[in-house]
């Protein structure tokens, strides 16, 4: 039997999970470690429905606890929790008949900075701006928007995104590349005055 966790803040994820499986009260350390980042991510996915984020996150931690025996301690815990959060948030939106809207002003600034530093994005479009990035990302198909948000806003690696979305790393790489292509096409049509971004989804 694994020893008890004396300092949850310093313990690794596998130790916290082992402790929670022995004693349900120890699960609070996992909630404490991941609640803020999961709430932030869920709010991004829910967008205009983010008033439901507390309920969704609560459901995420309930489902995670119920399925804690399924967690593989040889793998990182964060992508496993993100996957549950993604599925719960998308499920909530599906019930509401709504599409996710992931980008606000601060996120637009953050992703703009990262795109400018990313050589894979190519030369900077003339009309690159926070408002253009936000509208362009919101207009992308979910399969492209999801990977770009996880990569450029949540700072997830290709392997982590693969775990979260349950797709091969090669598919993640392909979707990121195609998502960036569509993002560039959209931004090239951005006029800066709230105008239409163009028919880039048909590309």
């Amino acid at each position: 039997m694994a020893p008890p966790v004396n300092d949850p803040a310093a313990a690794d994820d596998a130790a916290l999970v082992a402790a929670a499986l022995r004693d349900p009260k120890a699960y609070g350390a996992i909630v404490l470690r991941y609640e803020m980042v999961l709430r932030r991510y869920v709010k991004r996915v829910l967008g205009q429905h983010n008033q439901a984020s507390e309920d969704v996150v609560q459901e995420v931690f309930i489902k995670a606890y119920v399925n804690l025996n399924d967690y593989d301690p040889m793998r990182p815990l964060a992508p496993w929790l993100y996957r549950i959060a993604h599925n719960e948030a998308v499920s909530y939106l599906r019930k509401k008949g709504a599409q996710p809207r992931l980008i606000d002003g601060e996120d637009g600034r953050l992703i703009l900075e990262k795109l400018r530093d990313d050589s894979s994005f190519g030369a900077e479009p003339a009309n690159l701006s926070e408002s253009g990035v936000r509208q362009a990302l919101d207009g992308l198909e979910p399969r492209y928007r999801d990977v770009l948000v996880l990569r450029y806003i949540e700072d997830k690696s290709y392997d982590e995104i693969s775990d979260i979305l349950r797709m091969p790393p090669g598919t993640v790489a392909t979707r990121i590349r195609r998502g960036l292509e569509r993002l560039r096409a959209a931004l090239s049509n951005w006029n800066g005055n709230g105008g239409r971004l163009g028919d880039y989804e048909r590309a």
Side-chain angles (χ1 to χ4, degrees):
M1 179 179 293
V5 175
N6 295 320
D7 184 2
D12 62 26
D13 286 338
L16 292 183
V17 171
L21 288 172
R22 293 193 307 271
D23 179 3
K25 293 180 181 178
Y27 186 62
I30 295 175
V31 175
L32 184 63
R33 178 170 292 181
Y34 286 103
E35 186 175 19
M36 287 185 65
V37 293
L38 291 180
R39 183 183 295 119
R40 180 193 64 197
Y41 177 63
V42 166
K43 282 184 176 179
R44 283 175 173 149
V45 178
L46 294 180
Q48 67 269 35
H49 295 278
N50 62 27
Q51 73 281 354
S53 60
E54 293 294 331
D55 291 339
V56 173
V57 171
Q58 183 178 28
E59 187 64 24
V60 169
F61 282 115
I62 290 172
K63 286 205 169 180
Y65 180 74
V66 169
N67 294 284
L68 207 54
N69 277 308
D70 295 334
Y71 165 66
D72 179 357
M74 301 303 294
R75 302 182 68 85
L77 179 62
W80 187 74
L81 292 172
Y82 264 84
R83 180 167 69 242
I84 296 172
H86 176 84
N87 291 342
E88 287 301 307
V90 170
S91 176
Y92 177 88
L93 289 175
R94 189 177 295 119
K95 291 175 184 176
K96 294 291 183 180
Q99 290 294 320
R101 309 286 285 183
L102 295 167
I103 309 301
D104 62 16
E106 180 62 20
D107 288 340
R109 181 195 61 76
L110 180 62
I111 198 169
L112 179 60
E113 292 175 355
K114 292 186 178 180
L115 287 174
R116 283 175 168 155
D117 292 337
D118 190 342
S119 60
S120 64
F121 187 58
E124 180 177 322
N127 296 325
L128 191 62
S129 67
E130 290 180 25
S131 55
V133 167
R134 290 199 308 272
Q135 289 205 24
L137 276 168
D138 274 344
L140 290 180
E141 295 176 43
R143 58 181 170 165
Y144 299 123
R145 185 176 57 238
D146 286 348
V147 294
L148 292 183
V149 167
L150 286 167
R151 178 63 175 161
Y152 291 100
I153 297 181
E154 296 292 335
D155 281 325
K156 299 304 179 187
S157 68
Y158 282 39
D159 286 340
E160 287 174 321
I161 297 171
S162 174
D163 275 351
I164 293 167
L165 299 180
R166 288 203 166 172
M167 63 179 64
T171 302
V172 171
T174 297
R175 289 193 180 180
I176 288 176
R177 176 176 56 80
R178 291 178 179 172
L180 289 175
E181 290 172 355
R182 284 157 172 75
L183 190 63
R184 282 185 57 81
L187 289 167
S188 69
N189 292 324
W190 171 243
N191 64 24
N193 297 311
R196 143 171 219 181
L197 287 167
D199 294 331
Y200 53 92
E201 283 297 351
R202 296 192 182 96

